[in-house]
Amino acid sequence: MSLDLASLNGPQRDAVLHDGSPLVVFAGAGSGKTRVITFRIAHLVLERGVPPRNVLAVTFTNKAASEMRARLSSLAPAFASRLRVGTFHSTCARILRQNADVIGLKRDFTIYDDQDQRAMVKRVLKDLALDPKRVTPKIVANRINRAKQEVTRPEDMPTDDPISEIVSRVYEAYEERMRKAGALDFGDLIYRLVLALESDQSLRESLSNRFEHILVDEFQDTNHAQFRLVRALASMHRNLVVVGDDDQCIYRWRGADRRNILDFRRAFPEAQIIKLEQNYRSTKRILRSAYAVIRRNKDREPKELFTENDEGGRILVVRTEDERDEARMVARAVQSLQEEGDPLSEMVVFYRVHAQSRVIEETLRTANIAYRIVGGTRFYDRLEVKDLLAYLRVLHNRDDDVSLLRIINTPPRGIGKTTIGRLLELAAQNGSGVFAALEEASEASVFGAAAKKKLGAFLALLQELARHKRELPLSDLGGTIADLTGYRAMLEKENTPESDARLQNIAELFGSMALFDEELTARRKAHEQVLAQNLERGPLFADNLDRDEAALLAEGDPLSAFLEGVTLQEEATQKDALTDRLTLMTVHAAKGLEFPTVFVTGMEEQMFPFKGTDPWEDPEELEEERRLAYVAFTRAEQRLVLSYATRRRVFGQLKNGVPSRFLDELPQDDIEQLGQPRRRAVPAYQPDPWDAPARPTPSSFELVTTDSWDVAQRAPRKEQQLADDAFEGDSYVDVTEGNDLYMGGGIRKGMRVRHARFGVGKVLAVSGGVPPRVEVRFPGVGDKNIVATYLEPA
DNA sequence: CTTAGTAGGATTGAG
DNA sequence: TCCTACTAAG
């Protein structure tokens, strides 16, 4: 059982064999990144005798983790199951549970997803009697998440402006509520462990001592908290290998910080760097085109992919009339490739935003082309699935208030707003959870007889379910809950196509519970066998197994194991690999994938690079769009088709489209244009925006004066007119530094606001966007309304 | 307490 | 345009 290192190229082999210092591997698209990671791990355990349980490999997605596990079990079958391979979140959840008492957490904490978190924030806002109009739950939740990404505690939050001040108070109260509910949000999983590791030396030593080797995949997407986590876990052995590609960092908006990989040596000065630049995926033309786009980014680690693959065919750049025409073009192209014998599974259609998918879907349906969409609403986010899971979660952790409140009147059982409000008050008075308040309800004078009866019945229902939970196997529990609570009956009675789909979804949920139960039982059995064998083989072998696994299998009840998996795992077990289908997805969803034929639609200015209602230009954002385009192009193996539409409906309005600047950047020899190339009346963008001078002052913001989407060809829109009139030649307005209304909040219709030049006015309308675009009437400015994006509340 | 109606908002989305 | 999330009437 030895590894075939000869199948690796030089740098790949260097990375696999590297020893003695931290290592950064810059792994370009299609350069064999996963191969390097898995070979390295296999090498560590097979050749260097590192105990598998002392190797930690961290990924971002479950998919990446299971792929890695699969490859490891063929490379090192005997060890694979004991290797620690997992996502950041699952790895942290596991460590937090195992060390719950030391860290000061409940061992059976519940994990709240974003929706649960939002609900909790909402409740806190209510508790603190804050106007949810002024500071929306969304803003606060975002700020809390950002704080946790940066490892900032509530007491360390800034309070310099009114909004920050409110946020810091809500954050603090939120943390307290979460503690009481025995719940952690996703951010907590990383953040709490970082706090614990950094403050508790003995915990840090014992954990970092255990992880002799640590490997992190997609390191360019780590946020600050994740960086600190990895640093702490590697503090003892410093055998840290991080793999990634700064050119493929497309999650800046989610906290990803490319500096983590670019400046890795700042934290680990002794680190070595290896670059994997040979690409095994794409044709030369595709690589040249992708490079032509990415090379214009400043501030990237210099590197260029090369390949021994063929030159390949030219990249097609197709002009279409509008989004329907574009969709038809794609459908026709797909069909003709199909006629040439290409299966649909070898083609993919990318778009920048989900909204583009609808028209494409419609067209594919009329053309009778089978397709599947990747992404969109996730199984465990579905209403009915969340409802039933909430029952399970309450049974597992009665303090889980968010889940309890979700099901207290679902299906409707006559417990309405007022009753729930009183129940919450009672809980607040007692400083207890909602469940405890429920138990006391029969004694409380605030409730009328009817309310008491209904609450009592609900409590009795929960108690009955708790009994079933103890007695029934997991496989039967779901169905029982759906029946006893009347949930199934509710859906059956509804009897609409939607309710049918919901019934199907809950059936699927029960199926996955049964499957989970089965697998757990099988694993337990297998584990017991190993245990018995090892005992027979003598004391030397008694310890030869994974203690964590052992603990989980011995003590964990199936329900808690299931719930953990569910919250941390997006996809349910649903696969229909049987029909050959065309794949549709956003470019973001495409990272890590490859297809022989790739269509990238919507290659227009404003679409790709995307530009929302945001009035200002952030050069960082353009760079991220460039990386996104780079990711899209480098998915293609053989054929790349780029299309743009000269007109497109956006939010119901027809807009004229200008070909994306990315198209202009492609090497002319490598592309072939189809359709009339459009004569451009107005240069719609800076020819060289990356060289454009910086904005006048960093703290100034542009007013929404123009809709730069093809200004010349349309009569100015109303608001544009207004703004033009009001400002002639004065397109900037200064804003107090640090006045952070930007996350969208603050300004609402009817509010009084102050403008640096026009004084105090009243908000007449707020139309979307971040920051929001507002129309204001200033008494001092005559009859005109002013459209602006940045104002101080008066 | 449910249902219909409407205002408001609108990238990208792992765990 | 289309979807969600809250408010007023059944």
Side-chain angles (χ1 to χ4, degrees):
Chain A
M1 198 181 355
S2 108
L3 281 173
D4 180 19
L5 293 179
S7 65
L8 302 172
N9 68 32
Q12 287 177 334
R13 196 160 43 239
D14 291 344
V16 168
L17 300 177
H18 175 85
D19 187 25
S21 79
L23 175 70
V24 192
V25 181
F26 283 100
S31 65
K33 177 188 69 168
T34 314
R35 213 164 130 78
V36 165
I37 298 178
T38 50
F39 266 63
R40 179 173 171 85
I41 294 174
H43 171 74
L44 290 173
V45 295
L46 295 177
E47 318 280 341
R48 305 231 315 249
V50 179
R53 69 181 295 279
N54 297 345
V55 177
L56 173 69
V58 192
T59 64
F60 271 85
T61 64
N62 286 304
K63 202 169 145 219
S66 51
E67 216 169 278
M68 201 176 286
R69 267 192 292 262
R71 286 168 79 158
L72 283 165
S73 54
S74 68
L75 283 178
F79 302 97
S81 69
R82 268 174 286 153
L83 290 162
R84 286 280 74 90
V85 179
T87 62
F88 269 102
H89 294 267
S90 66
T91 303
C92 290
R94 189 170 181 146
I95 296 177
L96 286 173
R97 267 189 223 287
Q98 277 159 6
N99 303 278
D101 32 355
V102 187
I103 298 172
L105 294 173
K106 275 179 61 174
R107 185 167 284 269
D108 58 350
F109 59 80
T110 303
I111 299 169
Y112 278 3
D113 69 14
D114 295 340
Q115 281 179 51
D116 303 328
Q117 183 192 35
R118 197 71 66 79
M120 185 59 108
V121 169
K122 231 176 180 170
R123 192 171 157 207
V124 172
L125 289 176
K126 210 178 247 168
D127 282 354
L128 298 181
L130 289 164
D131 178 8
K133 290 261 151 68
R134 196 161 144 69
V135 270
T136 63
K138 187 178 161 189
I139 298 165
V140 180
N142 275 338
R143 295 274 205 113
I144 290 175
N145 290 337
R146 261 196 291 164
K148 288 181 178 177
Q149 272 167 21
E150 294 298 317
V151 198
T152 309
R153 297 195 228 78
E155 59 267 35
D156 300 328
M157 291 293 277
T159 52
D160 11 53
D161 64 278
I163 302 225
S164 302
E165 201 272 328
I166 292 170
V167 168
S168 87
R169 268 168 46 213
V170 178
Y171 182 14
E172 194 174 351
Y174 167 83
E175 291 289 89
E176 177 58 19
R177 272 249 174 267
M178 290 290 279
R179 196 186 59 74
K180 277 193 181 139
L184 296 184
D185 59 42
F186 279 132
D188 277 327
L189 294 177
I190 320 281
Y191 162 76
R192 302 296 285 256
L193 186 53
V194 170
L195 289 184
L197 284 169
E198 290 183 353
S199 63
D200 181 341
Q201 194 189 341
S202 75
L203 180 71
R204 184 172 65 247
E205 280 175 0
S206 74
L207 279 170
S208 67
N209 187 37
R210 167 177 168 178
F211 296 122
E212 265 178 65
H213 286 270
I214 298 178
L215 300 95
V216 186
D217 192 15
E218 305 275 16
F219 197 71
Q220 77 281 355
D221 286 332
T222 49
N223 62 36
H224 181 66
Q226 287 160 332
F227 180 83
R228 299 232 317 237
L229 173 81
V230 169
R231 189 177 64 182
L233 287 177
S235 58
M236 183 80 85
H237 298 290
R238 296 177 82 82
N239 288 321
L240 175 61
V241 176
V242 304
V243 184
D245 180 1
D246 54 309
D247 289 333
Q248 293 186 64
C249 177
I250 53 175
Y251 290 110
R252 200 173 73 98
W253 47 277
R254 215 159 64 181
D257 186 355
R258 285 176 319 130
R259 299 259 70 92
N260 288 159
I261 191 165
L262 290 172
D263 298 342
F264 189 74
R265 273 181 159 161
R266 193 173 294 168
F268 298 91
E270 76 276 34
Q272 299 294 302
I273 294 179
I274 292 177
K275 293 181 187 176
L276 306 181
E277 292 173 284
Q278 178 164 9
N279 170 289
Y280 295 94
R281 177 185 296 158
S282 312
T283 66
K284 290 195 172 74
R285 284 196 205 269
I286 290 170
L287 288 189
R288 278 201 296 265
S289 300
Y291 185 68
V293 171
I294 198 68
R295 61 178 275 264
R296 319 196 87 125
N297 271 357
K298 293 175 176 164
D299 188 34
R300 54 184 287 272
E301 181 71 21
K303 56 196 159 334
E304 182 174 356
L305 291 173
F306 65 94
T307 185
E308 289 170 4
N309 293 342
D310 291 343
E311 189 74 3
R314 288 177 189 246
I315 283 58
L316 295 185
V317 175
V318 190
R319 169 185 186 266
T320 62
E321 291 306 311
D322 55 27
E323 70 271 25
R324 312 200 59 167
D325 189 39
E326 181 180 54
R328 283 192 295 266
M329 181 280 291
V330 170
R332 279 193 302 268
V334 165
Q335 275 168 335
S336 76
L337 286 171
Q338 230 183 338
E339 280 158 22
E340 285 170 30
D342 290 10
L344 291 174
S345 60
E346 295 189 353
M347 305 176 221
V348 69
V349 181
F350 293 151
Y351 35 79
R352 178 65 243 270
V353 300
H354 285 301
Q356 290 172 261
S357 77
R358 215 193 74 238
V359 175
I360 301 175
E361 283 184 75
E362 284 166 7
T363 311
L364 291 173
R365 270 199 299 269
T366 34
N368 241 329
I369 298 171
Y371 67 88
R372 73 187 171 107
I373 292 204
V374 174
T377 326
R378 299 179 303 172
F379 182 72
Y380 289 113
D381 281 344
R382 287 168 203 277
L383 183 85
E384 60 279 12
V385 175
K386 288 216 75 175
D387 285 343
L388 284 170
L389 284 175
Y391 276 100
L392 290 169
R393 284 161 54 156
V394 170
L395 294 182
H396 172 242
N397 167 17
R398 56 164 62 185
D399 294 327
D400 181 348
D401 284 356
V402 168
S403 296
L404 185 62
L405 290 171
R406 183 181 184 99
I407 56 172
I408 196 165
N409 196 36
T410 313
R413 51 175 70 90
I415 302 176
K417 229 192 205 155
T418 21
T419 310
I420 293 174
R422 286 181 186 149
L423 199 61
L424 287 175
E425 260 168 47
L426 187 63
Q429 275 167 27
N430 298 347
S432 72
V434 179
F435 191 91
L438 192 60
E439 284 181 317
E440 278 177 32
S442 60
E443 309 292 316
S445 52
V446 286
F447 297 108
K452 275 186 188 170
K453 197 172 152 204
K454 285 166 181 165
L455 290 173
F458 178 59
L459 186 61
L461 174 68
L462 289 183
Q463 282 159 347
E464 192 188 353
L465 293 177
R467 204 180 61 244
H468 286 293
K469 179 204 150 200
R470 283 190 298 274
E471 289 162 3
L472 287 176
L474 192 56
S475 50
D476 297 332
L477 188 58
T480 309
I481 290 174
D483 289 334
L484 290 179
T485 57
Y487 202 94
R488 198 201 300 269
M490 173 181 76
L491 289 177
E492 278 166 354
K493 199 174 131 219
E494 204 182 308
N495 195 25
T496 60
E498 292 83 47
S499 67
D500 281 353
R502 294 198 164 158
L503 281 167
Q504 230 165 40
N505 284 332
I506 64 173
E508 199 173 307
L509 174 69
F510 303 153
S512 75
M513 287 170 74
L515 190 73
F516 183 87
D517 203 22
E518 240 168 69
E519 276 172 8
L520 193 68
T521 316
R523 265 164 67 197
R524 278 198 174 139
K525 226 173 245 160
H527 179 253
E528 274 160 24
Q529 268 173 18
V530 175
L531 204 67
Q533 273 171 17
N534 280 347
L535 279 177
E536 266 172 42
R537 288 158 82 193
L540 249 178
F541 293 89
D543 202 33
N544 185 16
L545 29 88
D546 188 330
R547 267 162 279 187
D548 306 334
E549 179 82 357
L552 178 90
L553 292 174
E555 69 181 53
D557 82 299
L559 179 59
S560 71
F562 176 74
L563 286 175
E564 167 115 12
V566 154
T567 328
L568 292 177
Q569 179 113 27
E570 89 280 21
E571 54 198 323
T573 46
Q574 40 161 354
K575 288 207 167 58
D576 56 342
L578 297 167
T579 22
D580 183 37
R581 287 166 192 278
L582 174 68
T583 306
L584 271 55
M585 64 177 101
T586 64
V587 181
H588 280 92
K591 193 159 66 157
L593 305 177
E594 57 187 15
F595 294 84
T597 301
V598 169
F599 294 88
V600 187
T601 62
M603 294 296 299
E604 298 123 48
E605 285 294 297
Q606 321 265 79
M607 272 307 275
F608 200 179
F610 182 85
K611 193 148 168 289
T613 42
D614 254 20
W616 76 74
E617 291 270 2
D618 180 349
E620 284 287 320
E621 263 166 37
L622 210 218
E623 297 221 336
E624 181 132 323
E625 294 296 313
R626 219 171 261 294
R627 292 192 289 269
L628 207 47
Y630 178 74
V631 168
F633 296 175
T634 53
R635 300 307 97 195
E637 296 170 358
Q638 299 292 328
R639 259 184 297 268
L640 180 59
V641 182
L642 310 174
S643 62
Y644 62 93
T646 53
R647 274 168 291 127
R648 179 181 299 274
R649 216 164 260 286
V650 182
F651 295 151
Q653 273 191 325
L654 203 60
K655 304 262 189 181
N656 289 315
V658 173
S660 168
R661 65 189 73 189
F662 300 153
L663 296 176
D664 295 350
E665 292 164 3
L666 302 176
Q668 288 306 305
D669 289 346
D670 290 324
I671 65 173
E672 182 182 346
Q673 308 229 21
L674 296 181
Q676 289 291 117
R678 184 166 185 265
R679 232 192 85 238
R680 208 169 290 159
V682 186
Y685 58 87
Q686 292 262 20
D688 268 321
W690 44 91
D691 294 330
R695 309 199 28 94
T697 56
S699 63
S700 60
F701 292 83
E702 208 172 344
L703 288 167
V704 181
T705 54
T706 52
D707 177 0
S708 57
W709 191 293
D710 217 344
V711 178
Q713 307 200 355
R714 265 204 348 268
R717 299 225 319 261
K718 188 173 119 228
E719 61 183 28
Q720 186 185 321
Q721 180 88 60
L722 289 165
D724 286 350
D725 291 349
F727 290 105
E728 307 152 306
D730 178 34
S731 55
Y732 295 106
V733 63
D734 272 311
V735 166
T736 324
E737 193 98 36
N739 176 7
D740 193 0
L741 293 171
Y742 131 72
M743 278 316 283
I747 296 182
R748 302 283 143 177
K749 192 170 163 179
M751 238 172 120
R752 282 153 55 81
V753 292
R754 179 183 297 111
H755 186 279
R757 292 186 29 166
F758 303 105
V760 175
K762 194 175 170 196
V763 178
L764 298 177
V766 181
S767 57
V770 178
R773 211 184 269 218
V774 294
E775 195 174 315
V776 186
R777 168 65 62 90
F778 294 99
V781 190
D783 289 342
K784 292 184 198 93
N785 299 333
I786 308 278
V787 177
T789 60
Y790 231 75
L791 296 157
E792 294 176 46

